[in-house]
Amino acid sequence: MHIFDVIVIGGGASGFFTALNLAEQRPNLRIAILERGKEVLAKVKISGGGRCNVTHACFVPNVLTKFYPRGERELRGPFSTFCTGDVMQWFDDRGVALKIEDDGRVFPESDNSQTIIDCFLEEAQQANIKISTQTIVQNIVKADDVWQISTSKDAYSCKHLVMATGSNTKIWDLCTSFGHSIVAPVPSLFTFNTKDDRLQNLMGVSAPMVSLKVKNSTLKANGPLLITHWGLSGPAILRLSAWGARELFDKSYQFELVVNWTNDFVFDEVLDELMENKTESPKKTIAKYPQYNLTHRLWQQLVKAADISETLTWADVTKKQLVKLAEQLTQCTFAINGKSTFKEEFVTAGGIGLKEINFKTMESKLIENLYFTGEVLNIDAITGGFNFQNAWTTGFLAAQSITNKA
């Protein structure tokens, strides 16, 4: 039996951050991290294309929470205690230089996730934190105010137990034995699959700002859109997938997506502007002069879909054709048939029910000395560093709470 004061189950971002902050505040505590995989911090390694998107340069807590489809209300207090600036200062204090990119994402200046991993491992070594990999938790019980943990390797015991396991269904099942409820997991960040003639040969083409809506639904989103060889991606799609995670799951990812390529212009406004071109630019060939900041290739495909030939001028186009073009621009409908994982990231909506957690301490409201951090909770965010920010904040709060009690 290995005896510790604190055991963190899960060797990911939130687990390490909890352990490191706890060790800093209470150096005398015996702390262990139990990781089921061969390596710790595996998700940190691949995040941001191998650069590690540490956080996002949004420094106002109430604004930051708007990026979380699940957890927005609950994270207001935690972000007021430990937010983006605190994370950046934490890494700076440990010699890890960070940079803010134009889109607000924050990366290490090295552009290498190994910088973050090395920082964590060096800090853990200095703090004498025990790290056990390939350690699969098989059972957890609490007896006489002590947690007893059976694993594939050894048995452990501790006073304080931190669950930082991410979307681990086995751990969720164990938590139900403690009385906790689990919100069933469904994919959150994903792209849309569609086969449509209008998108042929447009792989890599993007639109700077579009608005999206799911037909026969209240789901809406806007932002940049990217056309891929399997369908549609980009920030607008990912935002819609995040907020619509459960509804789109219920639809089996079969639905109609309406794209407004102009973003905020309505059909009548676009038709009026197109009609004006008949008098203002009568000799210009329609297909050669893109409107609404669209690329030539995308514009030409929409023109073609409106039954307008490549050589037709504004003077010769009929109103019926312009009506079709206005429809293509503002009400372009695609049949979505399935989804694809966004790059290497697999984010889920689901986990420990949030009403059962004290968000001042990250401690269970049901069982004393049991804590939850990161994505083991029913919290998720859009891409851009926000999921890591949740990991850092909840990990810090758990460490702070244990420090006050241990």
Side-chain angles (χ1 to χ4, degrees):
M1 175 74 72
H2 299 279
I3 301 172
F4 292 90
D5 297 301
V6 183
I7 290 179
V8 178
I9 301 180
S14 70
F16 260 82
F17 208 71
T18 303
L20 294 178
N21 279 281
L22 188 53
E24 180 182 28
Q25 296 171 39
R26 290 290 298 275
N28 60 313
L29 291 180
R30 297 164 297 174
I31 304 169
I33 297 175
L34 308 184
E35 166 57 38
R36 62 176 175 168
K38 292 182 180 180
E39 296 181 354
V40 294
L41 301 165
K43 195 168 184 178
V44 171
K45 189 174 185 65
I46 65 172
S47 74
R51 296 195 296 148
C52 187
N53 188 178
V54 175
T55 185
H56 201 94
C58 179
F59 300 95
V60 181
N62 286 347
V63 177
L64 183 60
T65 59
K66 300 298 182 183
F67 294 94
Y68 296 81
R70 284 148 291 274
E72 176 184 348
R73 181 176 63 82
E74 290 81 4
L75 287 173
R76 290 173 189 165
F79 284 161
S80 295
T81 300
F82 192 83
C83 202
T84 307
D86 301 299
V87 170
M88 296 182 72
Q89 185 64 54
W90 192 93
F91 282 104
D92 185 67
D93 290 345
R94 288 154 181 81
V96 178
L98 302 177
K99 61 179 179 178
I100 301 173
E101 299 198 338
D102 291 342
D103 60 2
R105 292 183 299 167
V106 178
F107 292 93
E109 284 191 356
S110 65
D111 279 330
N112 191 337
S113 60
Q114 194 63 42
T115 301
I116 304 299
I117 295 172
D118 290 344
C119 170
F120 283 174
L121 293 178
E122 289 169 10
E123 291 283 317
Q125 185 177 24
Q126 291 175 13
N128 293 315
I129 295 171
K130 169 69 175 177
I131 300 173
S132 180
T133 57
Q134 293 183 287
T135 302
I136 300 172
V137 173
Q138 297 173 331
N139 194 31
I140 303 172
V141 296
K142 192 177 186 184
D144 298 326
D145 211 29
V146 175
W147 290 102
Q148 298 177 352
I149 303 153
S150 302
T151 77
S152 55
K153 287 185 174 181
D154 291 299
Y156 297 81
S157 70
C158 63
K159 178 68 178 294
H160 303 275
L161 181 62
V162 181
M163 297 293 195
T165 51
S167 303
N168 184 328
T169 54
K170 184 174 181 179
I171 294 299
W172 283 337
D173 289 342
L174 286 173
C175 290
T176 61
S177 69
F178 310 150
H180 275 287
S181 60
I182 308 298
V183 179
V186 299
S188 178
L189 285 183
F190 49 87
T191 60
F192 297 168
N193 298 347
T194 184
K195 291 185 178 180
D196 193 289
D197 290 342
R198 291 166 295 184
L199 302 181
Q200 283 189 356
N201 303 317
L202 292 183
M203 184 178 69
V205 170
S206 62
M209 185 61 68
V210 305
S211 61
L212 309 172
K213 65 179 180 180
V214 174
K215 206 167 185 179
N216 301 318
S217 168
T218 59
L219 288 175
K220 296 180 180 180
N222 60 6
L225 181 144
L226 174 67
I227 299 171
T228 68
H229 67 274
W230 64 83
L232 302 171
S233 184
I237 295 293
L238 295 173
R239 178 176 288 272
L240 191 64
S241 77
W243 265 265
R246 296 207 170 274
E247 183 175 335
L248 299 181
F249 173 82
D250 291 340
K251 293 177 181 291
S252 300
Y253 310 106
Q254 311 285 324
F255 57 93
E256 288 188 302
L257 179 71
V258 181
V259 180
N260 183 337
W261 298 103
T262 74
N263 185 33
D264 53 4
F265 288 96
V266 298
F267 170 82
D268 289 340
E269 292 173 324
V270 171
L271 181 58
D272 287 344
E273 289 191 359
L274 295 177
M275 292 292 291
E276 288 176 7
N277 286 336
K278 288 177 67 65
T279 56
E280 294 180 0
S281 308
K283 295 182 180 181
K284 287 186 175 180
T285 303
I286 298 172
K288 290 184 178 180
Y289 296 94
Q291 309 287 305
Y292 301 103
N293 295 317
L294 300 180
T295 66
H296 273 87
R297 290 164 62 195
L298 177 56
W299 171 256
Q300 288 168 357
Q301 287 292 80
L302 297 178
V303 168
K304 180 181 178 182
D307 296 326
I308 297 172
S309 69
E310 294 181 1
T311 59
L312 197 64
T313 64
W314 287 105
D316 297 327
V317 70
T318 66
K319 182 176 181 180
K320 183 178 179 180
Q321 289 171 309
L322 291 182
V323 167
K324 287 186 177 181
L325 182 55
E327 289 174 345
Q328 290 295 324
L329 287 165
T330 62
Q331 304 163 18
C332 197
T333 303
F334 296 95
I336 304 302
N337 182 26
K339 62 173 179 58
S340 294
T341 301
F342 175 63
K343 296 183 179 179
E344 304 93 347
E345 298 188 39
F346 186 74
V347 177
T348 58
I352 302 294
L354 303 186
K355 291 182 179 180
E356 300 165 3
I357 306 299
N358 180 344
F359 275 84
K360 292 182 179 179
T361 62
M362 304 315 301
E363 187 174 12
S364 165
K365 291 180 179 179
L366 309 182
I367 305 174
E368 189 177 7
N369 297 331
L370 176 63
Y371 302 81
F372 295 93
T373 66
E375 292 180 34
V376 69
L377 296 159
N378 183 29
I379 293 176
D380 61 284
I382 62 173
T383 186
F386 301 104
N387 284 300
F388 274 142
Q389 182 60 50
N390 169 47
W392 314 137
T393 295
T394 54
F396 177 85
L397 289 179
Q400 190 177 59
S401 177
I402 295 171
T403 296
N404 294 335
K405 295 178 66 175

